[in-house]
Amino acid sequence: IWAIHPTPKEVGFSPLAVKLAAERRTDEDIKEMHYLIEQQEQLLQDEEVDVKQFMKLDIEFHCVISRATNNEILKRLTLELVESYNRYILIAPFLDRANTIVSEHKRIIEAIKEEDGEKAAKIVQNHITDIRESLKERIEKIL
């Protein structure tokens, strides 16, 4: 399963995307990222969390970051990666990690806002590793 075992392309482009986003982002990009995270937090307050809506917001969050890079290749690769992860997340319950995911996304936004691409890249790399490990454990339980 490639989403659990990274390809060289996967490992390289997400940190690159946030580095470029930190350099090229606009104030409107930052506002949109914050808005999407606020929407996810509101969903997590519901007794019955709308998982599909949460994932839709997650995809849009990653798309805003990739749009901020002003790089068409990174935009397409980001969308492909996020959609692949989200397919696995939908089959493997994740709500116990949802607050952690939102918290990590907030840290990514702050690093981008501070125009600190290196910090953002490190946070993203840890974020990817954590999600990959969590998905691997969940899928192994299902199988």
Side-chain angles (χ1 to χ4, degrees):
I1 300 173
W2 76 267
I4 295 173
H5 303 290
T7 64
K9 176 173 68 173
E10 175 190 348
V11 171
F13 83 79
S14 290
L16 174 60
V18 293
K19 284 182 184 179
L20 286 175
E23 293 173 12
R24 301 174 179 176
R25 59 72 175 174
T26 65
D27 290 342
E28 191 59 37
D29 293 327
I30 298 296
K31 287 178 188 174
E32 190 171 355
M33 287 179 224
H34 279 296
Y35 173 78
L36 294 166
I37 295 303
E38 289 168 6
Q39 294 300 304
Q40 283 184 314
E41 288 177 319
Q42 285 181 357
L43 282 175
L44 293 175
Q45 301 301 315
D46 295 342
E47 199 168 306
E48 290 288 322
V49 176
D50 183 342
V51 175
K52 288 183 181 182
Q53 182 62 23
F54 186 92
M55 299 317 303
K56 181 180 174 185
L57 292 166
D58 188 73
I59 289 170
E60 186 58 29
F61 173 78
H62 288 274
C63 289
V64 171
I65 291 173
S66 66
R67 281 195 308 265
T69 70
N70 293 314
N71 182 300
E72 290 302 316
I73 294 170
L74 287 174
K75 289 179 194 179
R76 281 184 295 204
L77 290 174
T78 298
L79 184 58
E80 288 176 23
L81 175 66
V82 170
E83 287 178 346
S84 294
Y85 274 122
N86 287 339
R87 277 194 291 273
Y88 286 104
I89 288 170
L90 285 174
I91 64 167
F94 77 101
L95 286 177
D96 59 314
R97 276 199 38 81
N99 287 315
T100 301
I101 290 168
V102 169
S103 176
E104 290 169 346
H105 284 177
K106 286 181 177 180
R107 292 178 52 226
I108 292 167
I109 294 170
E110 288 311 307
I112 290 172
K113 184 178 178 180
E114 295 167 1
E115 299 179 356
D116 190 340
E118 290 300 320
K119 180 179 177 182
K122 287 178 187 174
I123 296 167
V124 164
Q125 193 59 56
N126 289 335
H127 181 63
I128 291 169
T129 300
D130 290 347
I131 289 173
R132 183 178 302 112
E133 288 303 313
S134 178
L135 286 174
K136 182 179 176 184
E137 290 171 12
R138 292 159 198 273
I139 289 171
E140 286 173 354
K141 287 180 184 177
I142 291 171
L143 300 176

